[in-house]
Amino acid sequence: MKNTTHTETFLVWPAGVPGGISQGRTEQETIFPPLHIPTPTRLIRNVVEPTLQAYLPDPSRANGTAVVVCPGGCFSFLSIEVEGEEVARWLNERGVAAFVLKYRLAPTPERDEDFMAQFMHIVHDVAGMQAQAPVGISDGQQALKLVRQRASEWGVDPERIGVLGFSAGGAIALAAATQYTAESRPAFAAPIYGPVWQELKVPQDAPPLFIALADDDPSIADGNMPLYNAWKASGHPVELHIYAKGGHGFGMTKQGLPSDRWIEQFADWLVSQGFLE
C-alpha cells in the first residue's frame, strides 16, 4: 500500500514569525535520541521557527479531508514520531492529508545530558506549560489558516480541515476549536489526553469534538468530563472515550491496552461526521 505521494516542509508564518524568529534566543533546534516513554521515540526540542510537514495521500485515495496534527511534549519538546509522523502516515492510508505542526517551544538546555537532568521538572511544570501555551496556540491557529489558504494546491477541501492534538498539542487543538476566525475555524477537533486550562466557552458555531484519554492518566484527573459536558450542553456533536488503561502519551504506541484502538475509533467518528467515507 502506498502511504504518501510526497512530504514537504512549509513555514507556518511565511511573512515572518510575529515579533521575530529568535527574540534573542540562540539555541538550535535539536532531534533528541530515542527516549523510552514507554517505548523508544524521537523528540524535537528548541523549535523557534514553526513549520508544517505536509503528508499528502496518493491522489487516487484522497478524499479532500485534512488534519493539522499537533504532537505533545509539555510545550518544551515534541513527540514528533508517535504523535506526529506515524499519525500522518496512518491518515494518508485512508485518503486524508495530514500536516504535522512543529510549533514554537520553550527553551531547553543545549546538551542532551542537561535536558535529561531537567526532564522530570519539565513534565511537571504546569505553570511553565501554561506560560508557553499561547505561543503554540497562535502557531496552531495560523497553521489552520495556512492550510485553508493553500487548500487547492494540496487537493484539500477548505471546509474539511480539522485539527488533532496530543497532550500540549491537545491544548492547541481545543483552543483552535474555541478561539477562531472564519479563516482559522477547524471543521472538527480532536484533543487526545489534552489538558483543559482555560475557562470553557463553547462558541455558537463550535465544530464537532472527539475526545480520548485513559482513565489511568495522572495528568487529567477530571477525565475531560467538564469538556464533554460543556460541548454536549451547547448542542454540538461530541464523542468521549475513556479507556481503562493506557497512561499518558500513548499516541500510536501499541501497548496491548484498550487505548490502542483510539485512532480506529477516531476514523469511525470521522465517518459519522461525514469527513471520511
Side-chain angles (χ1 to χ4, degrees), residues 150-215:
R150 301 182 63 172
S152 60
E153 174 185 345
W154 290 324
V156 167
D157 184 336
E159 302 305 316
R160 293 163 65 100
I161 303 168
V163 60
L164 166 68
F166 302 84
S167 193
I172 293 175
L174 179 57
T178 54
Q179 307 166 31
Y180 49 78
T181 63
E183 294 79 15
S184 66
R185 180 186 180 275
F188 56 88
I192 311 300
Y193 44 84
V196 180
W197 292 322
Q198 72 268 43
E199 180 183 354
L200 280 174
K201 294 182 179 180
V202 184
Q204 186 175 3
D205 61 341
L209 197 69
F210 177 91
I211 311 166
L213 69 155
D215 190 53

Side-chain angles (χ1 to χ4, degrees), residues 26-217:
T26 59
E27 67 274 9
Q28 297 296 312
E29 184 174 313
T30 303
I31 299 177
F32 189 75
L35 185 68
H36 293 256
I37 49 171
T39 56
T41 183
R42 287 183 296 109
L43 306 181
I44 290 180
R45 306 189 284 114
N46 293 328
V47 175
V48 296
E49 184 172 35
T51 60
L52 276 177
Q53 183 83 14
Y55 290 76
L56 304 180
D58 187 307
S60 66
R61 290 180 172 275
N63 56 30
T65 296
V67 180
V68 173
V69 181
C70 308
C74 310
F75 290 104
S76 292
F77 57 90
L78 298 176
S79 184
I80 198 70
E81 193 169 9
V82 298
E83 295 178 349
E85 297 163 355
E86 293 182 17
V87 177
R89 294 189 184 100
W90 195 96
L91 291 170
N92 279 176
E93 291 175 358
R94 286 140 188 91
V96 177
F99 298 84
V100 178
L101 174 64
K102 287 199 302 183
Y103 49 91
R104 286 171 287 173
L105 302 173
T108 54
E110 181 178 349
R111 295 192 333 132
D112 289 341
E113 296 85 348
D114 296 333
F115 168 68
M116 283 308 301
Q118 296 184 17
F119 185 75
M120 294 311 297
H121 170 74
I122 289 171
V123 299
H124 291 104
D125 182 12
V126 175
M129 297 179 213
Q130 291 175 332
Q132 183 66 23
V135 177
I137 288 169
S138 177
D139 291 343
Q141 293 165 332
Q142 174 63 17
L144 284 159
K145 290 175 65 175
L146 180 65
V147 175
R148 180 163 283 116
Q149 289 167 359
R150 301 182 63 172
S152 60
E153 174 185 345
W154 290 324
V156 167
D157 184 336
E159 302 305 316
R160 293 163 65 100
I161 303 168
V163 60
L164 166 68
F166 302 84
S167 193
I172 293 175
L174 179 57
T178 54
Q179 307 166 31
Y180 49 78
T181 63
E183 294 79 15
S184 66
R185 180 186 180 275
F188 56 88
I192 311 300
Y193 44 84
V196 180
W197 292 322
Q198 72 268 43
E199 180 183 354
L200 280 174
K201 294 182 179 180
V202 184
Q204 186 175 3
D205 61 341
L209 197 69
F210 177 91
I211 311 166
L213 69 155
D215 190 53
D216 62 350
D217 185 340

